[in-house]
């Protein structure tokens, strides 16, 4: 949720419903004012257009939290990875730092890892600043 | 008081090209400028692209002569990847190219430039267009023009995929071969096109050469410039559109240089002016001396008349015949008469279809071996063809993955940009005396301009088309004294 | 009844769209009979004033080709919009920016630097660049100024219909004219070509793979191309998966893959990304489980120039529209 009074980084996080959402509930992240956390059925649904739309709506960075490689029930996280890899390449050709998109592998119950992933990404994006 | 005349084809070529003429205080022409107000930057945005996509990227420089860019680009890739094209591949490319030269020259002669002659330079402008031509030569002929152009364009569609922006060229060959049925069709088309070319030459004979007034205009001084000439020639110094060495003759017709495309940088340089987006190429070994002709000026000309001047003749019999006749009438080589470009275009039209027939009848054209796969690491490539409007150079550098690092292009019409401005200036000088601007000026200046078939799409990257002119005469304060519009 | 007034106009274009209209040949004469062409720079005389003097909405339809990159072009597009009931974006440049739109990988400065200074054949020791205004001994000369960015037509004025393709083929053009004349036009905003992917009408569709076994990205010049088999099955990127049909498979017919000149299907926000997403799902690897993220990353490096490829025809109409340029 955007907070117009701060200049702090705006990141959008996409989380998988199956592996990540349970952990999300246990963490305190969802109440964090500066974060947008969007739960999707499977990160296989998080296409590059969606990622770019997040940027269009003002995100400074986009984090995708997916099931660890090989563990996705829908066998889609390799697809997600391939897309993210290509997207990063396209972004850097367009002079947008590829680090603004990150994919993290998080299993059910890895609450601390999730929290660290979000916070770590947040810090990295804060350093980069907004997209000019 | 300096007055200024703007010849502004903006009425039909919005923002795509204009000529400014300035008069001195006596009312005589002080100077003339051809301005190309558009630029697209293919040289820059091609950087980073895949080399093999260049034959699909560069045709968009010009939708009138996309085939020239396409084939030139494929040839540049041959050189870049250092790959030989198998004979059938070369022949298919040249076949496509010959069909293209024919349809393009036909477009110009009948739709764009020809009406000046067919209808006569002083005809009412409202009939100086294709419709007027059709009326004069008959509806049947008009249909013939449309039909033969369509059939030759179909050859390009068949082998190139799209006639506007073909896609078949690859380093080492082409992507599609010629089937037996195709070939039979091509032979038929080529034969009919030869008949059509005979008809065109005859038409020129009857209407233009049969009229002393026209002949006087052609050979007259207003449309004359003694320049260098450039064109591609084969081993026997005969005109070739697809391949060969670049030959340059001096204003006296003597060979000045003969070089491979690879060495073009030793011979050509480009000059930049603040007032045009187009550059002005000149012969490096003569130097840029400004907008002036003669043996000491590096200004050279390209395209039909220049190609004929730079060669020792045509490689096919009927074209050779027409070539000889032309130089007979013009009084020998080289011919400096700008308006003879129209005539030379018809000589070339004949050559293109005679060559088309030769290629279609060649059994090897159906050979299945149409391309070789490159095996070498790419580095640098230079290609050349004769586009309808002049010598066209593509030059690419890549990294070892075949990603474009640098592109340089010298595009057909651009070679003529200095000469076009000079021709316009000279025509204006001949027609504007002591402040009197003849109404005929418009027609006559336009003719000088149009003889070159200046494809501003190539230069500026827009379309030629008919160029109606608007002349605005300003006094030195910029006040408009008089406006003449040719409509 | 008076014939409907129609206008043709070109902005920054190569002239191919004009040729496409001329290529209608005899059909063109039919169209010319049925309408009153008030503006057509390539064939008819034209004065901007004449258009200005028309009443608002007096033109039934304006067909505008070319992208928009100068102030003049923008003004003309606005003028035609005001005078026309319908505006058709004609051809890929007006529709999505096309190949000249690749100029959005750079800007005016980048182009100037290369074209007028560093090109190998240019001799320009004084560093002269073309200027909007130049004093010459006889007076002053002017050139139009260029935008840094290439815009599509609908980024400039409201567009009612799109005629896709580079260049649009004759039947697509004729269908549009016929629909206009017969009052059969679909919903506003439509692209006038079937809303199905090229793949779905492609002769090679049967051999199109769900997933690829070969972990390779081949380039057209690198392999012998089987003229019967789907390009994707040969490891060659073909954009037919996401490209609107209607071209008659012109490139595929001569054994070259589609590069997307017809643009996307309805509802797609970013054609290049949609294509990339499709390609990324098909290029699944057999032994993926054994690959690390790094291995996969190396493999993706083989898909060179992804932005140039996937945005070949559509960079200006993408979400980002252009490369971000460093601020000075
Ligand atoms: S990917 Fe290309 S070749 Fe394959 S089915 Fe689709 S359009 Fe045809
Ligand atoms: S195959 Fe693709 S690139 Fe070729 S004409 Fe059709 S839509 Fe355009």
């Amino acid at each position: 949720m955007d907070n117009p009074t701060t200049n702090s980084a705006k990141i959008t996080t996409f989380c998988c419903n199956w592996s990540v959402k349970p952990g999300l509930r246990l963490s305190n992240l969802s109440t964090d004012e500066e974060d947008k956390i969007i739960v999707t059925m499977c990160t296989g649904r998080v296409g590059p257009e969606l990622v770019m739309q997040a940027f269009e709506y003002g995100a400074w960075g986009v984090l995708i939290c997916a099931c660890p490689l090989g563990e996705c029930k829908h066998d889609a996280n390799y697809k997600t990875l391939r897309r993210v890899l290509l997207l990063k390449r396209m972004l850097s050709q367009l002079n947008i730092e590829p680090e603004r998109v990150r994919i993290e592998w998080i299993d059910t119950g890895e609450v601390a890892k999730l929290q660290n992933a979000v916070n770590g990404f947040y810090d990295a994006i804060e350093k980069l600043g907004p997209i000019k | 008081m300096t007055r200024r005349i703007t010849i502004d084809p903006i009425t039909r070529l919005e923002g795509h090209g204009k000529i400014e003429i300035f008069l001195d205080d006596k009312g005589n022409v002080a100077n003339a400028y051809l301005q190309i107000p558009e630029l697209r930057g293919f040289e820059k945005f091609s950087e980073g692209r895949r080399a093999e996509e260049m034959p699909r990227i560069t045709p968009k420089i010009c939708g009138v002569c996309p085939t020239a860019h396409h084939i030139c680009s494929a040839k540049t890739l041959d050189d870049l990847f250092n790959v030989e094209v198998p004979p059938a591949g070369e022949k298919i490319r040249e076949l496509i190219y010959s069909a293209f030269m024919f349809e393009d020259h036909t477009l110009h002669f009948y739709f764009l430039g020809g009406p000046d002659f067919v209808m006569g330079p002083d005809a009412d402008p409202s009939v100086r267009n294709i419709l007027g031509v059709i009326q004069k030569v008959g509806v049947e002929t008009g249909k013939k023009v449309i039909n033969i152009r369509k059939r030759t364009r179909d050859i390009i569609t068949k082998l190139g995929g799209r006639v506007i922006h073909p896609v078949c060229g690859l380093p080492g060959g082409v992507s599609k071969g010629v089937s037996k049925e195709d070939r039979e069709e091509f032979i038929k088309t080529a034969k009919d096109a030869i008949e059509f070319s005979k008809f065109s030459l005859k038409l020129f004979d009857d209407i233009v050469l049969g009229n002393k007034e026209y002949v006087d205009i052609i050979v007259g001084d207003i449309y004359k410039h003694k320049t260098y000439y450039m064109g591609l020639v084969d081993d026997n110094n005969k005109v070739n559109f697809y391949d060969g060495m670049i030959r340059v003759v001096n204003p006296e017709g003597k060979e000045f240089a003969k070089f491979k495309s690879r060495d073009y940088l030793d011979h050509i340089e480009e000059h930049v002016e603040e007032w045009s987006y187009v550059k002005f190429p000149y012969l490096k070994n003569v130097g840029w001396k400004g907008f002036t002709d003669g043996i000491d000026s590096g200004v050279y000309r390209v395209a039909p008349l220049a190609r004929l001047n730079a060669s020792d003749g045509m490689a096919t019999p009927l074209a050779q015949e027409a070539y000889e006749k032309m130089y007979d009438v013009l009084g020998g080589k080289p011919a400096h008469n700008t308006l003879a470009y129209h005539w030379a275009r018809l000589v070339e039209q004949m050559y293109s279809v005679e060559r088309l027939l030769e290629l279609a009848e060649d059994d090897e054209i159906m050979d299945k071996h149409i391309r070789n796969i490159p095996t070498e690491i790419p580095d640098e490539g230079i290609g050349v063809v004769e586009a309808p409007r002049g010598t066209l150079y593509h030059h690419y550098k890549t990294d070892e993955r075949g990603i474009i690092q640098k592109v340089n292009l010298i595009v057909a019409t651009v070679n003529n940009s200095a000469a076009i401005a000079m021709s316009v200036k000279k025509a204006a000088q001949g027609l504007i005396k002591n402040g009197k601007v003849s109404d005929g000026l418009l027609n006559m200046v336009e003719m000088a301009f149009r003889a070159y078939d200046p494809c501003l799409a190539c230069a500026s990257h827009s379309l030629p088309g008919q160029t109606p002119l608007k002349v605005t005469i300003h006094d030195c304060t910029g006040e408009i004294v008089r406006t003449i519009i040719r409509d | 009844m008076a014939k409907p007034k129609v206008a043709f106009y070109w902005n920054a274009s190569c002239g191919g769209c004009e040729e496409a209209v001329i290529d209608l040949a005899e059909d063109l004469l039919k169209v010319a009979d049925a309408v009153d062409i008030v503006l057509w720079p390539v064939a008819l005389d034209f004065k901007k004033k004449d258009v200005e003097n028309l009443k608002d909405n007096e033109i039934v339809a304006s067909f505008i080709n070319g992208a928009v990159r100068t102030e003049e072009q923008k003004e003309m597009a606005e003028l035609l919009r005001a005078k026309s009931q319908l505006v058709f974006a004609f051809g890929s440049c007006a529709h999505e920016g096309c190949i000249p739109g690749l100029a959005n990988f750079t800007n005016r400065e980048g182009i100037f630097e290369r074209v007028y200074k560093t090109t190998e054949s240019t001799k320009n020791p004084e560093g002269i660049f073309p200027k909007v205004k130049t004093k010459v001994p006889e007076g002053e000369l002017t050139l139009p100024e260029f935008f840094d960015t290439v815009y599509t037509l609908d980024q400039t004025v409201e567009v009612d219909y799109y005629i896709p393709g580079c260049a649009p083929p004759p039947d697509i053009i004729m269908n549009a004219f016929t629909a206009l004349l017969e009052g059969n036009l679909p919903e506003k905003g439509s692209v006038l070509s079937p809303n199905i992917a090229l793949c779905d009408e492609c002769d090679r569709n049967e051999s199109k793979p769900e997933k690829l076994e070969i972990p390779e990205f081949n380039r057209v010049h690198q392999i012998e191309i089987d003229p019967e088999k789907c390009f994707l099955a040969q490891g060659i990127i073909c954009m037919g998966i996401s490209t609107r049909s209607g071209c008659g498979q012109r490139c595929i017919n001569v054994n070259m893959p589609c590069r997307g000149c017809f643009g996307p299907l309805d509802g797609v926000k970013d054609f290049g990304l949609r294509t990339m997403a499709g390609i990324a799902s098909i290029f699944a690897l057999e032994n993926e489980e054994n690959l690390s993220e790094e291995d996969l990353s190396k493999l993706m490096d083989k898909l060179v120039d992804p932005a140039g490829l996937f945005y070949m025809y559509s960079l200006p109409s993408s979400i980002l529209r252009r490369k971000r340029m460093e601020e000075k």
Side-chain angles (χ1 to χ4, degrees):
Chain A
M1 313 310 119
D2 299 351
N3 185 337
T5 58
T6 64
N7 286 327
S8 45
K10 294 177 186 134
I11 66 171
T12 300
T13 307
F14 292 101
C15 282
C16 167
N17 184 46
W18 310 106
S19 55
V20 184
K21 194 179 165 204
L24 188 63
R25 286 226 190 92
L26 297 175
S27 78
N28 57 357
L29 283 168
S30 53
T31 58
D32 191 312
E33 293 262 298
E34 267 76 54
D35 299 338
K36 270 190 178 163
I37 298 189
I38 297 163
V39 178
T40 59
M41 292 316 278
C42 167
T43 51
R45 295 272 180 90
V46 184
E49 270 172 294
L50 201 56
V51 175
M52 285 315 295
Q53 259 165 292
F55 284 117
E56 215 184 355
Y57 291 131
W60 299 8
V62 176
L63 176 67
I64 301 167
C65 296
C67 323
L69 283 170
E71 316 241 316
C72 173
K73 294 189 183 61
H74 308 277
D75 204 16
N77 54 6
Y78 275 102
K79 180 174 84 183
T80 310
L81 176 58
R82 287 193 301 271
R83 287 172 172 179
V84 167
L85 289 172
L86 282 176
L87 179 63
K88 281 167 169 278
R89 281 159 181 72
M90 290 171 77
L91 286 178
S92 80
Q93 280 186 282
L94 293 161
N95 205 17
I96 303 236
E97 299 84 351
E99 306 84 63
R100 290 185 189 273
V101 182
R102 187 184 284 182
I103 190 163
E104 290 276 3
W105 313 112
I106 292 165
D107 214 342
T108 327
E110 292 185 316
V111 183
K113 191 172 176 195
L114 175 63
Q115 217 154 306
N116 286 341
V118 174
N119 290 335
F121 186 62
Y122 183 90
D123 292 344
I125 293 302
E126 183 136 83
K127 277 198 201 100
L128 284 176
I131 298 175
K132 271 170 248 109
Chain B
M1 182 185 77
T2 309
R3 292 199 309 178
R4 166 199 200 124
I5 301 176
T6 306
I7 298 188
D8 201 344
I10 215 152
T11 49
R12 276 184 213 179
L13 286 170
E14 181 78 10
H16 291 323
K18 61 178 180 174
I19 295 162
E20 298 271 355
I21 301 171
F22 290 96
L23 306 184
D24 62 18
D25 48 6
K26 292 204 190 68
N28 294 318
V29 174
N31 215 340
Y33 297 87
L34 169 72
Q35 290 184 279
I36 305 290
E38 199 177 317
L39 168 77
R40 300 219 252 155
F42 279 76
E43 291 94 329
K44 182 66 187 173
F45 68 67
S46 297
E47 289 172 8
R49 307 287 78 80
R50 300 168 163 216
E52 73 275 18
E53 300 292 334
M54 289 302 277
R56 299 182 74 160
I57 290 173
T58 55
K60 319 290 178 182
I61 291 171
C62 175
V64 181
C65 62
T67 311
H69 287 284
H70 182 68
I71 298 290
C72 190
S73 185
K75 287 182 66 183
T76 307
L77 295 185
D78 299 341
D79 189 35
L80 177 77
F81 286 98
N82 197 13
V83 55
E84 283 271 337
V85 182
E90 291 278 22
K91 283 176 183 163
I92 291 170
R93 282 188 192 170
E94 197 183 344
L95 180 118
I96 295 171
Y97 207 74
S98 304
F100 158 66
M101 287 299 276
F102 172 82
E103 61 91 358
D104 191 292
H105 275 4
T106 305
L107 174 77
H108 183 268
F109 185 74
Y110 285 94
F111 288 73
L112 307 175
D116 286 341
F117 277 108
V118 179
M119 303 311 293
D122 43 14
D124 185 333
S126 68
V127 298
R128 284 203 320 152
N129 54 41
I130 177 69
L131 298 174
V133 173
I134 290 178
Q135 233 166 41
K136 182 149 177 181
V137 298
V139 179
E140 277 319 299
T141 308
K143 281 197 185 146
K144 233 191 210 168
V145 176
I146 291 174
N147 180 269
I148 197 70
R149 222 181 141 242
K150 182 176 185 319
R151 285 171 64 200
T152 38
R153 278 170 81 78
D154 283 347
I155 295 180
I156 307 175
T157 309
K158 187 121 244 172
L159 298 173
R162 306 186 292 205
V163 61
I164 302 168
H165 308 315
V167 300
C168 60
L170 287 162
V174 290
S175 64
K176 193 185 178 202
V178 173
S179 72
K180 199 156 160 279
E181 306 84 75
D182 288 348
R183 182 210 195 186
E184 270 155 31
E185 186 63 39
F186 298 167
I187 291 175
K188 257 203 255 146
T189 301
K191 284 186 175 156
D192 291 347
I194 290 177
E195 289 310 312
F196 181 84
S197 292
K198 283 187 197 159
F199 167 83
S200 302
L201 280 162
K202 171 105 181 11
L203 191 75
F204 191 80
D205 238 35
D206 292 350
I207 295 181
V208 181
L209 302 184
N211 184 327
K212 185 167 175 305
E213 209 184 315
Y214 293 178
V215 177
D216 287 347
I217 296 176
I218 295 179
V219 299
D221 198 51
I222 287 181
Y223 294 110
K224 209 180 241 178
H225 273 293
K226 295 188 173 154
T227 61
Y228 288 80
Y229 297 97
M230 178 185 288
L232 265 184
V233 293
D234 67 13
D235 295 344
N236 303 315
N237 283 343
K238 298 286 162 82
V239 170
N240 199 296
F241 301 141
Y242 175 71
D243 204 14
M245 302 264 281
I246 297 123
R247 192 169 188 234
V248 181
V249 298
N250 72 12
E252 276 141 28
K254 294 212 182 64
E255 182 172 301
F256 173 76
K258 194 172 171 184
F259 57 93
K260 293 200 187 90
S261 53
R262 268 261 167 188
D263 300 325
Y264 84 107
L265 287 174
D266 296 338
H267 298 272
I268 304 171
E269 259 175 7
E270 293 179 288
H271 169 80
V272 181
E273 289 282 353
E274 279 178 3
W275 43 266
S276 181
Y277 285 122
V278 98
K279 292 183 281 186
F280 298 92
Y282 58 93
L283 295 169
K284 190 176 179 177
N285 300 321
V286 185
W288 174 256
K289 309 281 164 62
F291 296 85
T292 166
D293 61 1
I295 204 152
D296 298 324
S297 164
V299 171
Y300 62 92
R301 290 196 275 181
V302 297
L305 182 66
R307 283 192 282 258
L308 267 51
N309 278 339
S311 76
D312 289 342
M314 311 304 290
T316 55
L318 294 175
Q320 175 65 21
E321 207 178 280
Y323 163 98
E324 282 166 19
K325 176 162 180 191
M326 182 185 97
Y327 282 110
D328 257 6
V329 174
L330 296 177
K333 285 182 80 176
H336 299 296
N337 321 82
T338 305
L339 294 184
Y341 267 87
H342 294 287
W343 197 348
R345 197 166 285 121
L346 290 181
V347 174
E348 289 195 341
Q349 185 197 46
M350 177 57 91
Y351 167 69
S352 65
V353 280
E354 284 187 286
R355 185 70 189 132
L356 180 67
L357 183 62
E358 278 176 13
L359 289 159
E361 283 181 331
D362 188 330
D363 287 333
E364 209 167 21
I365 200 95
M366 297 196 319
D367 194 284
K368 294 274 167 290
H369 185 199
I370 52 172
R371 64 180 280 222
N372 287 322
I373 308 288
T375 52
E376 288 191 26
I377 292 173
D379 172 25
E380 183 167 6
I382 296 171
V384 66
V385 293
E386 279 297 333
R389 295 156 194 82
T391 320
L392 169 64
Y393 299 88
H394 281 204
H395 179 182
Y396 314 149
K397 277 191 197 134
T398 67
D399 65 11
E400 70 294 339
R401 297 171 307 161
I403 296 298
I404 297 282
Q405 306 296 308
K406 293 253 175 320
V407 168
N408 191 29
L409 306 165
I410 298 180
V411 175
T413 288
V414 174
N415 291 291
N416 272 337
S417 50
I420 295 174
M422 285 158 48
S423 293
V424 166
K425 179 176 169 186
K426 193 159 178 191
Q429 272 169 338
L431 295 149
I432 302 172
K433 289 267 157 56
N434 302 324
K436 271 214 219 117
V437 180
S438 144
D439 281 347
L441 167 84
L442 288 163
N443 286 350
M444 304 292 266
V445 169
E446 184 185 24
M447 277 173 68
F449 186 65
R450 251 203 323 235
Y452 293 95
D453 182 13
C455 180
L456 300 182
C458 277
S460 72
H461 313 326
S462 84
L463 189 77
Q466 286 205 311
T467 334
L469 301 174
K470 185 172 95 190
V471 175
T472 314
I473 305 168
H474 303 261
D475 65 17
C476 52
T477 63
E479 194 103 358
I480 295 170
V481 179
R482 189 174 163 206
T483 308
I484 313 166
I485 293 167
R486 200 221 84 173
D487 53 17
Chain C
M1 204 182 76
K3 291 179 184 176
K5 290 194 169 67
V6 163
F8 294 97
Y9 194 70
W10 52 19
N11 283 321
S13 72
C14 70
C17 283
E18 300 289 330
E19 275 273 6
V21 174
I22 293 169
D23 274 347
L24 294 177
E26 273 125 66
D27 281 343
L28 176 61
L29 301 177
K30 278 187 226 147
V31 175
D33 256 1
V35 301
D36 175 11
I37 302 177
V38 293
L39 168 65
W40 193 18
V42 70
L44 305 172
D45 188 37
F46 147 62
K47 289 178 218 76
K48 195 174 172 190
K49 267 250 278 318
D50 297 343
V51 181
E52 280 164 350
N53 288 339
L54 292 171
K55 288 198 280 297
D56 281 2
N57 286 335
E58 193 173 337
I59 301 173
V60 171
S62 282
F63 296 85
I64 306 180
N65 71 56
V68 178
R69 65 185 325 181
T70 69
E71 197 55 46
E72 272 170 33
Q73 290 161 349
K74 186 166 166 252
E75 277 166 25
M76 204 53 208
E78 283 164 356
L79 178 63
L80 283 170
R81 175 69 270 186
K83 303 294 177 188
S84 313
Q85 293 165 29
L86 298 172
V87 167
F88 289 68
F90 188 107
S92 176
C93 285
H95 177 200
E96 16 161 37
C98 196
I99 281 175
L102 292 172
N104 286 359
F105 272 117
T106 174
N107 59 8
R108 184 176 45 216
E109 200 190 316
I111 290 173
F112 270 36
E113 190 67 21
R114 175 68 189 146
V115 172
Y116 301 113
K117 220 162 141 190
T118 65
T119 29
E120 291 68 14
S121 49
T122 302
K123 190 176 174 206
N124 186 6
E126 286 135 64
I128 292 170
F129 289 127
K131 287 193 190 145
V132 174
K133 279 201 176 95
T134 307
K135 284 235 176 307
V136 292
E138 302 84 8
E140 194 177 71
L141 295 168
T142 58
L143 288 170
E145 178 140 28
F146 281 86
F147 299 153
D148 269 327
T149 300
V150 175
Y151 298 96
T152 63
L153 188 61
D154 68 6
Q155 288 165 355
T156 314
V157 294
E158 202 185 317
V159 168
D160 300 301
Y161 295 102
Y162 301 84
I163 299 177
C166 178
D171 55 335
I172 295 282
I173 302 174
M174 269 319 278
N175 289 346
F177 287 162
T178 317
L180 171 70
L181 291 172
E182 292 176 356
N184 269 336
L185 283 164
E187 206 190 322
K188 276 199 184 174
S190 297
V191 181
L192 301 178
S193 193
N195 188 32
I196 44 171
L198 186 64
C199 279
D200 294 331
E201 59 160 49
C202 177
D203 300 335
R204 306 186 187 199
N205 196 305
E206 293 212 333
S207 54
K208 183 176 152 189
E210 285 276 305
K211 275 186 177 225
L212 268 196
E213 252 87 272
I214 6 163
E216 258 174 68
F217 293 105
N218 289 318
R219 292 161 66 181
V220 284
H221 65 291
Q222 291 170 329
I223 60 161
E224 209 72 67
I225 304 172
D226 182 335
E228 311 289 333
K229 213 155 129 199
C230 173
F231 288 100
L232 295 173
Q234 309 181 57
I236 292 173
I237 289 177
C238 179
M239 292 174 63
I241 50 168
S242 52
T243 301
R244 183 180 289 266
S245 64
C247 73
Q249 310 160 41
R250 293 185 291 191
C251 302
I252 320 267
N253 285 342
V254 295
N255 207 17
M256 290 294 277
C258 176
R259 288 291 172 256
C261 79
F262 260 57
L265 296 167
D266 287 352
V268 172
K269 252 211 110 166
D270 191 304
F271 180 38
L273 293 178
R274 183 63 66 95
T275 311
M276 179 271 267
I279 292 293
S281 20
I282 290 175
F283 280 70
L285 307 178
E286 218 176 34
N287 55 346
E288 225 158 24
E289 315 78 71
N290 310 328
L291 295 180
S292 66
E293 210 175 316
E294 223 167 273
D295 294 336
L296 211 54
S297 181
K298 273 200 199 114
L299 207 91
M300 289 300 154
D301 283 337
K302 296 215 172 117
L303 200 166
V304 289
D305 186 26
L309 191 65
F310 295 126
Y311 285 133
M312 189 170 274
Y313 282 89
S314 65
L315 184 57
S317 62
S318 68
I319 291 175
L320 285 173
R321 291 192 179 187
R322 64 155 18 267
K323 179 174 174 178
R324 190 174 55 131
M325 305 311 282
E326 301 302 341
E327 270 169 65
K328 284 238 220 125

